[in-house]
Amino acid sequence: MRIDCDVVVVGGGPAGSHTAMAVARFSKQNIRVVLIDRNERSEFGKKTRRGWTCGDAVSKRSLEFVMENLGIMYERPEIEHEVDGVLVISPDHETKVLFDGEGYLLNRKLWPQKQLQYLEKFGVEVLFGVDARQLIAEDNRIVGVKGTSRDGEPVEVRAKVVVDASGSASVLRSNLPIESYVEREIDKENDMEATGRYILEFDRVVEDETWFDPRYCIIHLDQFLAPGGYCWTFPKGESKVNIGLGVQKTALDRRNAAYGLRDNLTSLIDQYVRANRAIVNPREPEGYPDQGNTYSTWQVPVRRQNDCMVANGYVVVGDAAWMPRPIDAGGLGPSLYGSVILGRNVVRAIEENDVSQDGLWGYNVEYVRVYGYQMAGFEVLRRYLQTLPNDDISFGMKHFLSEDDIESIKRREHPRFPLLTNFLRVLLDAELRRRVRERPKLARSLAYVANKSRRLIKHYLNYPERSADFPRWRAQLLRELKEANERLGLT
Ligand SMILES: Cc1cc2nc3c(=O)[nH]c(=O)nc-3n(C[C@H](O)[C@H](O)[C@H](O)COP(=O)(O)OP(=O)(O)OC[C@H]3O[C@@H](n4cnc5c(N)ncnc54)[C@H](O)[C@@H]3O)c2cc1C
């Protein structure tokens, strides 16, 4: 099969579907958009063989952004449950920090079916059951993609722009066959989280709001149960949860070696479910729509987004572009913002007849300005927090996190740790001075991370408008990150 079109999108996850919708929606000319997903229609958007692996939580703000910009509507049943915010609980369970911020728990299996209705309404042609294997290059430009259908037939889709939304294991990005600034690989040991979750029903007989609360997504920080990551219990109803955790591979190896243990992701998730005292008699829901989606594991990139997300005729979005937030691995919000921004820029490039790296460059600039500018700072903070023992995390949450920081985190901004960075405040507050003296290294490092984040944000706000200035900008970024890693002992 061979198809010629204007834009081919690879991957029918949230990033690919919404980018395809955005291109179709924003184009004034009749742009032909084709979307390829390797799943059949009934399993559209399925991430792995085992399911639509996700914690299912998305902020109200992100979902409203995509609905308003694309003129679409999500409601029940694809929205399963509403929450008032996120509660983060320290390892010693003594400090609970409530980050307000309404959100939704999605049904990730039903959501893509609603997306399909909109894709078809917007005139996007969807090819089901096609596995994209390879980009087609001519004269240092990407001009299409090759793949295979379920029955082994070759499929070739030629397009002016190929959108790579094929998720964190993208083979297209890894094997990008032209010269470009797009980074092909991530540091898998340090910048990828191994994650997994169950969807479970249970008997609501033990009321303990630090373990389950239908009004809040609960995050438990615990370097023993989730080394280099965190555990979550997200409500999907009054007695239903999405429960799981993420770990960093090197942190898990260190922890196993230190305790002489041989835990893996699955054994840790099972331990967490057992440790959760509110989840009594847990069982996998039977029947539609959860059947076939009750347990699965997958990987999430937790680095800053790819420093450059465009090449001649090629763009990358969502997990394939390493968009999830480094601090909490939330990837739905950035995918939705990224899709709308990308759709607008692809349409502009096609209408201006320039789909080169320069013609598509505006996507890099706009994404960084709207969403991506904070991610390198979060990357440094995440890397540092991953090295801390439970004891330091509990201490820091109790004594060094201020109201200002909580407000910042609510706005999804970097905490500035004013208790530690404001010299006068430390000088005038005897109790704070005592705490700083108790953990001088922790206090110094958190203050350093806050200042470094400020510098990184400033650097990102100067993201180059033209590709020619990119190498210099990136060299400076790498210097900043190297200095942070050395200073924090993260090399
Ligand atoms: C366990 C876990 C929990 C998470 N929890 C949350 C959370 O609570 N909130 C949040 O915001 N984020 C969460 N995330 C991250 C979030 O799920 C991702 O950021 C999001 O799904 C990214 O969307 P995407 O479209 O980029 O990629 P994906 O969702 O991975 O979609 C990629 C699509 O492309 C298809 N595909 C892949 N390769 C090919 C190919 N070669 N050819 C054709 N099709 C292909 C796949 O089958 C899939 O349909 C979690 C992730 C995991 C693993």
Side-chain angles (χ1 to χ4, degrees):
M1 188 197 327
R2 171 165 165 161
I3 296 175
D4 286 282
C5 62
D6 296 296
V7 178
V8 58
V9 178
V10 180
S17 289
H18 291 98
T19 301
M21 283 181 223
V23 173
R25 175 92 196 176
F26 297 144
S27 97
K28 289 185 215 78
Q29 298 166 4
N30 219 359
I31 290 183
R32 185 175 178 197
V33 189
V34 171
L35 186 149
I36 296 177
D37 193 59
R38 65 178 166 207
N39 303 289
E40 296 303 334
R41 171 179 273 274
S42 62
E43 300 204 315
F44 186 59
K46 189 174 180 180
K47 212 184 263 201
T48 69
R49 273 191 305 119
R50 296 291 303 269
W52 290 256
T53 320
C54 190
D56 303 338
V58 65
S59 72
K60 188 173 176 201
R61 200 166 61 162
S62 303
L63 209 62
E64 281 178 352
F65 174 84
V66 84
M67 293 196 295
E68 278 162 19
N69 276 277
L70 301 185
I72 59 178
M73 182 66 171
Y74 293 124
E75 53 203 353
R76 285 180 194 279
E78 60 273 9
I79 293 180
E80 257 193 288
H81 188 68
E82 291 169 31
V83 287
D84 294 338
V86 181
L87 190 64
V88 179
I89 300 186
S90 63
D92 62 5
H93 274 239
E94 282 183 16
T95 312
K96 301 175 194 69
V97 182
L98 176 61
F99 302 112
D100 283 330
E102 294 161 87
Y104 300 116
L105 273 294
L106 297 164
N107 186 303
R108 286 286 313 258
K109 188 170 165 184
L110 297 182
W111 194 31
Q113 293 300 319
K114 187 66 172 277
Q115 289 159 20
L116 258 183
Q117 290 174 18
Y118 284 121
L119 286 164
E120 288 171 347
K121 183 173 161 204
F122 289 167
V124 174
E125 297 160 57
V126 184
L127 298 184
F128 301 102
V130 174
D131 195 356
R133 298 271 169 89
Q134 192 185 340
L135 292 164
I136 308 169
E138 280 171 10
D139 303 328
N140 203 38
R141 292 180 302 136
I142 298 302
V143 294
V145 62
K146 279 184 188 167
T148 319
S149 72
R150 275 277 150 92
D151 23 345
E153 290 299 314
V155 177
E156 185 172 317
V157 185
R158 296 245 164 187
K160 293 174 185 154
V161 179
V162 176
V163 176
D164 180 358
S166 60
S168 57
S170 168
V171 290
L172 305 184
R173 185 208 60 237
S174 312
N175 299 310
L176 184 64
I178 59 171
E179 273 173 47
S180 87
Y181 295 132
V182 173
E183 295 160 273
R184 290 172 176 76
E185 284 304 344
I186 200 169
D187 174 354
K188 293 199 179 81
E189 298 278 306
N190 290 305
D191 291 336
M192 224 22 136
E193 286 276 307
T195 53
R197 60 93 182 105
Y198 284 103
I199 292 175
L200 297 172
E201 288 172 347
F202 62 99
D203 295 337
R204 183 99 178 266
V205 288
V206 175
E207 290 299 327
D208 182 339
E209 289 177 356
T210 67
W211 285 104
F212 176 80
D213 187 333
R215 295 165 306 166
Y216 296 107
C217 284
I218 295 178
I219 287 181
H220 290 114
L221 301 178
D222 188 326
Q223 295 281 37
F224 185 75
L225 270 178
Y230 64 83
C231 314
W232 71 83
T233 299
F234 292 173
K236 298 204 81 173
E238 295 300 314
S239 54
K240 185 177 174 188
V241 277
N242 180 313
I243 182 166
L245 55 81
V247 299
Q248 185 202 38
K249 188 179 174 309
T250 45
L252 174 59
D253 291 346
R254 265 200 313 270
R255 171 261 197 204
N256 277 346
Y259 292 95
L261 295 169
R262 300 179 67 180
D263 277 314
N264 57 33
L265 183 62
T266 303
S267 69
L268 289 172
I269 298 172
D270 287 340
Q271 285 172 46
Y272 176 57
V273 174
R274 280 197 301 274
N276 190 321
R277 51 191 306 272
I279 309 298
V280 176
N281 186 20
R283 56 209 176 256
E284 299 185 6
E286 283 169 16
Y288 193 78
D290 295 307
Q291 204 171 34
N293 189 34
T294 50
Y295 177 71
S296 53
T297 59
W298 189 227
Q299 55 183 25
V300 192
V302 285
R303 212 197 74 162
R304 64 192 186 279
Q305 69 276 353
N306 204 316
D307 295 338
C308 173
M309 303 189 289
V310 309
N312 295 331
Y314 172 86
V315 285
V316 58
V317 66
D319 280 17
W322 312 323
M323 280 184 172
R325 283 186 304 274
I327 196 71
D328 60 8
L332 294 175
S335 290
L336 298 177
Y337 278 87
S339 302
V340 170
I341 293 167
L342 176 57
R344 219 181 273 132
N345 280 281
V346 165
V347 168
R348 187 184 309 129
I350 289 179
E351 289 178 352
E352 289 175 1
N353 213 10
D354 179 3
V355 295
S356 68
Q357 171 181 266
D358 285 330
L360 293 163
W361 194 259
Y363 166 49
N364 276 334
V365 179
E366 201 184 330
Y367 184 76
V368 163
R369 297 241 164 99
V370 173
Y371 207 100
Y373 64 100
Q374 304 198 77
M375 298 305 143
F378 282 135
E379 178 184 325
V380 173
L381 178 63
R382 185 266 299 166
R383 278 181 170 234
Y384 175 61
L385 294 179
Q386 282 174 325
T387 65
L388 293 181
N390 276 344
D391 193 32
D392 271 350
I393 297 176
S394 297
F395 190 92
M397 281 180 70
K398 192 179 284 175
H399 301 297
F400 295 154
L401 206 61
S402 67
E403 285 301 318
D404 286 355
D405 296 321
I406 293 170
E407 284 304 316
S408 299
I409 297 171
K410 269 186 209 171
R411 292 193 301 270
R412 305 217 176 258
E413 288 171 8
H414 199 285
R416 293 179 180 274
F417 297 107
L419 294 182
L420 301 171
T421 49
N422 185 335
F423 178 68
L424 209 59
R425 207 154 164 179
V426 181
L427 203 70
L428 297 176
D429 184 337
E431 175 62 16
L432 181 58
R433 246 189 355 264
R434 197 172 65 75
R435 300 293 182 198
V436 168
R437 272 204 298 270
E438 227 176 296
R439 307 265 166 145
K441 191 160 173 246
L442 178 67
R444 248 194 340 266
S445 299
L446 288 174
Y448 171 81
V449 169
N451 288 329
K452 173 59 81 179
S453 163
R454 215 169 288 161
R455 282 176 68 89
L456 285 166
I457 287 175
K458 201 163 152 225
H459 187 59
Y460 267 84
L461 293 178
N462 285 319
Y463 189 90
E465 299 271 350
R466 298 173 325 128
S467 63
D469 299 327
F470 177 78
R472 210 153 49 112
W473 178 89
R474 181 151 193 275
Q476 175 63 23
L477 170 67
L478 296 183
R479 274 196 297 277
E480 291 281 354
L481 293 174
K482 184 163 177 277
E483 196 241 0
N485 287 340
E486 283 169 1
R487 176 75 180 268
L488 296 166
L490 306 175
T491 41

mmCIF file of all heavy atoms in Angstrom, residues 47 50 58 80 112 120 122 148 186 199 205 208 217 276 281 294 314 367 444 475 478 484 486:
data_model
loop_
_atom_site.group_PDB
_atom_site.id
_atom_site.type_symbol
_atom_site.label_atom_id
_atom_site.label_comp_id
_atom_site.label_asym_id
_atom_site.label_seq_id
_atom_site.Cartn_x
_atom_site.Cartn_y
_atom_site.Cartn_z
ATOM 1 N N LYS A 47 -0.831 1.206 24.680
ATOM 2 C CA LYS A 47 0.585 1.543 24.760
ATOM 3 C C LYS A 47 1.485 0.314 24.634
ATOM 4 O O LYS A 47 2.496 0.342 23.957
ATOM 5 C CB LYS A 47 0.811 2.189 26.130
ATOM 6 C CG LYS A 47 1.891 3.222 26.119
ATOM 7 C CD LYS A 47 2.117 3.729 27.514
ATOM 8 C CE LYS A 47 1.381 5.009 27.767
ATOM 9 N NZ LYS A 47 1.971 5.760 28.892
ATOM 10 N N ARG A 50 0.224 -5.252 27.137
ATOM 11 C CA ARG A 50 -0.582 -5.487 28.344
ATOM 12 C C ARG A 50 -1.608 -4.405 28.636
ATOM 13 O O ARG A 50 -2.428 -4.569 29.520
ATOM 14 C CB ARG A 50 0.336 -5.632 29.561
ATOM 15 C CG ARG A 50 1.265 -6.822 29.556
ATOM 16 C CD ARG A 50 0.519 -8.147 29.704
ATOM 17 N NE ARG A 50 -0.296 -8.236 30.907
ATOM 18 C CZ ARG A 50 0.129 -8.723 32.059
ATOM 19 N NH1 ARG A 50 1.346 -9.171 32.167
ATOM 20 N NH2 ARG A 50 -0.672 -8.800 33.104
ATOM 21 N N VAL A 58 -4.849 13.468 35.049
ATOM 22 C CA VAL A 58 -4.519 14.641 34.224
ATOM 23 C C VAL A 58 -5.117 15.871 34.910
ATOM 24 O O VAL A 58 -6.174 15.785 35.541
ATOM 25 C CB VAL A 58 -5.067 14.467 32.783
ATOM 26 C CG1 VAL A 58 -6.585 14.432 32.725
ATOM 27 C CG2 VAL A 58 -4.528 15.539 31.844
ATOM 28 N N GLU A 80 -13.371 9.272 34.326
ATOM 29 C CA GLU A 80 -13.976 8.327 35.278
ATOM 30 C C GLU A 80 -14.240 8.943 36.627
ATOM 31 O O GLU A 80 -15.143 8.523 37.336
ATOM 32 C CB GLU A 80 -12.995 7.164 35.496
ATOM 33 C CG GLU A 80 -13.363 5.914 34.754
ATOM 34 C CD GLU A 80 -12.570 4.716 35.239
ATOM 35 O OE1 GLU A 80 -11.377 4.666 34.940
ATOM 36 O OE2 GLU A 80 -13.146 3.834 35.899
ATOM 37 N N PRO A 112 -9.241 6.988 24.064
ATOM 38 C CA PRO A 112 -8.880 6.950 22.638
ATOM 39 C C PRO A 112 -10.078 6.703 21.713
ATOM 40 O O PRO A 112 -10.082 7.143 20.568
ATOM 41 C CB PRO A 112 -7.893 5.774 22.550
ATOM 42 C CG PRO A 112 -7.369 5.593 23.920
ATOM 43 C CD PRO A 112 -8.478 5.989 24.837
ATOM 44 N N GLU A 120 -12.111 11.269 13.167
ATOM 45 C CA GLU A 120 -12.907 10.997 11.955
ATOM 46 C C GLU A 120 -13.763 12.209 11.595
ATOM 47 O O GLU A 120 -13.884 12.567 10.429
ATOM 48 C CB GLU A 120 -13.703 9.708 12.150
ATOM 49 C CG GLU A 120 -12.723 8.529 12.090
ATOM 50 C CD GLU A 120 -13.277 7.158 12.471
ATOM 51 O OE1 GLU A 120 -14.395 7.080 13.030
ATOM 52 O OE2 GLU A 120 -12.561 6.185 12.238
ATOM 53 N N PHE A 122 -12.926 15.254 12.077
ATOM 54 C CA PHE A 122 -12.046 16.271 11.490
ATOM 55 C C PHE A 122 -11.439 15.830 10.160
ATOM 56 O O PHE A 122 -10.602 16.525 9.596
ATOM 57 C CB PHE A 122 -10.887 16.598 12.460
ATOM 58 C CG PHE A 122 -11.299 17.360 13.688
ATOM 59 C CD1 PHE A 122 -10.435 17.478 14.764
ATOM 60 C CD2 PHE A 122 -12.532 17.976 13.789
ATOM 61 C CE1 PHE A 122 -10.793 18.178 15.915
ATOM 62 C CE2 PHE A 122 -12.910 18.669 14.929
ATOM 63 C CZ PHE A 122 -12.040 18.769 15.991
ATOM 64 N N THR A 148 4.655 -1.952 8.316
ATOM 65 C CA THR A 148 4.098 -3.246 7.927
ATOM 66 C C THR A 148 2.707 -3.379 8.521
ATOM 67 O O THR A 148 2.486 -3.041 9.682
ATOM 68 C CB THR A 148 4.966 -4.391 8.520
ATOM 69 O OG1 THR A 148 6.342 -4.025 8.377
ATOM 70 C CG2 THR A 148 4.729 -5.692 7.817
ATOM 71 N N ILE A 186 18.348 8.690 24.969
ATOM 72 C CA ILE A 186 18.327 9.245 26.319
ATOM 73 C C ILE A 186 19.238 8.346 27.185
ATOM 74 O O ILE A 186 19.506 7.207 26.811
ATOM 75 C CB ILE A 186 16.869 9.214 26.835
ATOM 76 C CG1 ILE A 186 16.646 10.169 27.989
ATOM 77 C CG2 ILE A 186 16.448 7.822 27.195
ATOM 78 C CD1 ILE A 186 15.170 10.350 28.318
ATOM 79 N N ILE A 199 -5.018 -1.624 38.189
ATOM 80 C CA ILE A 199 -6.321 -0.995 38.424
ATOM 81 C C ILE A 199 -7.112 -2.015 39.248
ATOM 82 O O ILE A 199 -7.270 -3.164 38.827
ATOM 83 C CB ILE A 199 -7.016 -0.649 37.098
ATOM 84 C CG1 ILE A 199 -6.233 0.472 36.407
ATOM 85 C CG2 ILE A 199 -8.478 -0.224 37.350
ATOM 86 C CD1 ILE A 199 -6.719 0.856 35.035
ATOM 87 N N VAL A 205 -13.413 -0.717 53.795
ATOM 88 C CA VAL A 205 -13.764 -0.965 55.199
ATOM 89 C C VAL A 205 -12.800 -0.288 56.156
ATOM 90 O O VAL A 205 -13.108 -0.104 57.328
ATOM 91 C CB VAL A 205 -13.844 -2.488 55.507
ATOM 92 C CG1 VAL A 205 -15.077 -3.099 54.881
ATOM 93 C CG2 VAL A 205 -12.593 -3.217 55.043
ATOM 94 N N ASP A 208 -8.636 5.484 56.050
ATOM 95 C CA ASP A 208 -7.385 6.129 56.419
ATOM 96 C C ASP A 208 -6.987 7.031 55.259
ATOM 97 O O ASP A 208 -6.536 6.558 54.207
ATOM 98 C CB ASP A 208 -6.295 5.077 56.690
ATOM 99 C CG ASP A 208 -4.988 5.728 57.137
ATOM 100 O OD1 ASP A 208 -4.801 6.930 56.855
ATOM 101 O OD2 ASP A 208 -4.168 5.030 57.761
ATOM 102 N N CYS A 217 -5.549 12.529 44.750
ATOM 103 C CA CYS A 217 -4.501 11.612 44.285
ATOM 104 C C CYS A 217 -3.429 11.610 45.369
ATOM 105 O O CYS A 217 -2.954 12.685 45.765
ATOM 106 C CB CYS A 217 -3.880 12.133 42.984
ATOM 107 S SG CYS A 217 -4.938 11.879 41.559
ATOM 108 N N ASN A 276 -0.554 -0.844 51.653
ATOM 109 C CA ASN A 276 -1.625 0.158 51.686
ATOM 110 C C ASN A 276 -2.803 -0.379 52.506
ATOM 111 O O ASN A 276 -3.577 -1.229 52.050
ATOM 112 C CB ASN A 276 -2.074 0.493 50.257
ATOM 113 C CG ASN A 276 -2.996 1.704 50.250
ATOM 114 O OD1 ASN A 276 -3.839 1.854 51.129
ATOM 115 N ND2 ASN A 276 -2.805 2.568 49.284
ATOM 116 N N ASN A 281 -8.924 -6.510 50.472
ATOM 117 C CA ASN A 281 -9.462 -7.464 49.500
ATOM 118 C C ASN A 281 -9.376 -6.919 48.054
ATOM 119 O O ASN A 281 -10.381 -6.853 47.345
ATOM 120 C CB ASN A 281 -10.921 -7.810 49.877
ATOM 121 C CG ASN A 281 -11.493 -8.904 49.012
ATOM 122 O OD1 ASN A 281 -10.738 -9.665 48.385
ATOM 123 N ND2 ASN A 281 -12.813 -8.971 48.921
ATOM 124 N N THR A 294 -5.705 -4.305 33.425
ATOM 125 C CA THR A 294 -5.662 -4.203 34.878
ATOM 126 C C THR A 294 -4.249 -4.200 35.463
ATOM 127 O O THR A 294 -4.033 -3.696 36.546
ATOM 128 C CB THR A 294 -6.456 -5.347 35.543
ATOM 129 O OG1 THR A 294 -6.026 -6.568 34.954
ATOM 130 C CG2 THR A 294 -7.938 -5.158 35.366
ATOM 131 N N TYR A 314 10.541 16.452 9.704
ATOM 132 C CA TYR A 314 10.298 15.546 10.842
ATOM 133 C C TYR A 314 10.102 16.339 12.129
ATOM 134 O O TYR A 314 10.849 17.302 12.383
ATOM 135 C CB TYR A 314 11.511 14.618 10.999
ATOM 136 C CG TYR A 314 11.504 13.758 12.243
ATOM 137 C CD1 TYR A 314 10.855 12.537 12.270
ATOM 138 C CD2 TYR A 314 12.179 14.168 13.401
ATOM 139 C CE1 TYR A 314 10.875 11.735 13.413
ATOM 140 C CE2 TYR A 314 12.201 13.376 14.540
ATOM 141 C CZ TYR A 314 11.541 12.153 14.542
ATOM 142 O OH TYR A 314 11.557 11.368 15.671
ATOM 143 N N TYR A 367 7.044 25.830 22.180
ATOM 144 C CA TYR A 367 6.879 24.834 23.246
ATOM 145 C C TYR A 367 7.713 25.211 24.476
ATOM 146 O O TYR A 367 7.244 25.140 25.622
ATOM 147 C CB TYR A 367 7.241 23.419 22.764
ATOM 148 C CG TYR A 367 6.964 22.414 23.859
ATOM 149 C CD1 TYR A 367 5.655 22.016 24.136
ATOM 150 C CD2 TYR A 367 7.976 21.939 24.683
ATOM 151 C CE1 TYR A 367 5.366 21.153 25.183
ATOM 152 C CE2 TYR A 367 7.699 21.070 25.738
ATOM 153 C CZ TYR A 367 6.393 20.688 25.984
ATOM 154 O OH TYR A 367 6.109 19.847 27.046
ATOM 155 N N ARG A 444 22.124 23.503 51.978
ATOM 156 C CA ARG A 444 22.978 24.110 50.931
ATOM 157 C C ARG A 444 22.595 23.595 49.547
ATOM 158 O O ARG A 444 22.472 24.366 48.605
ATOM 159 C CB ARG A 444 24.442 23.730 51.211
ATOM 160 C CG ARG A 444 25.324 24.889 51.628
ATOM 161 C CD ARG A 444 26.811 24.590 51.581
ATOM 162 N NE ARG A 444 27.235 23.214 51.601
ATOM 163 C CZ ARG A 444 27.565 22.536 52.703
ATOM 164 N NH1 ARG A 444 27.485 23.114 53.889
ATOM 165 N NH2 ARG A 444 27.970 21.270 52.632
ATOM 166 N N ALA A 475 25.362 24.315 23.953
ATOM 167 C CA ALA A 475 26.646 24.119 24.645
ATOM 168 C C ALA A 475 26.581 24.759 26.031
ATOM 169 O O ALA A 475 27.037 24.186 27.026
ATOM 170 C CB ALA A 475 27.774 24.714 23.813
ATOM 171 N N LEU A 478 24.474 22.571 28.364
ATOM 172 C CA LEU A 478 25.214 21.385 28.845
ATOM 173 C C LEU A 478 26.243 21.769 29.898
ATOM 174 O O LEU A 478 26.470 21.024 30.846
ATOM 175 C CB LEU A 478 25.860 20.640 27.673
ATOM 176 C CG LEU A 478 24.868 20.041 26.656
ATOM 177 C CD1 LEU A 478 25.592 19.261 25.571
ATOM 178 C CD2 LEU A 478 23.833 19.144 27.339
ATOM 179 N N ALA A 484 26.002 21.525 37.577
ATOM 180 C CA ALA A 484 25.057 21.091 38.619
ATOM 181 C C ALA A 484 25.360 19.658 39.052
ATOM 182 O O ALA A 484 25.394 19.349 40.247
ATOM 183 C CB ALA A 484 23.628 21.197 38.105
ATOM 184 N N GLU A 486 28.126 18.037 38.911
ATOM 185 C CA GLU A 486 29.381 17.947 39.673
ATOM 186 C C GLU A 486 29.189 18.482 41.088
ATOM 187 O O GLU A 486 29.561 17.871 42.075
ATOM 188 C CB GLU A 486 30.486 18.718 38.945
ATOM 189 C CG GLU A 486 31.011 17.918 37.761
ATOM 190 C CD GLU A 486 31.908 18.720 36.840
ATOM 191 O OE1 GLU A 486 32.168 19.921 37.120
ATOM 192 O OE2 GLU A 486 32.328 18.147 35.830
#
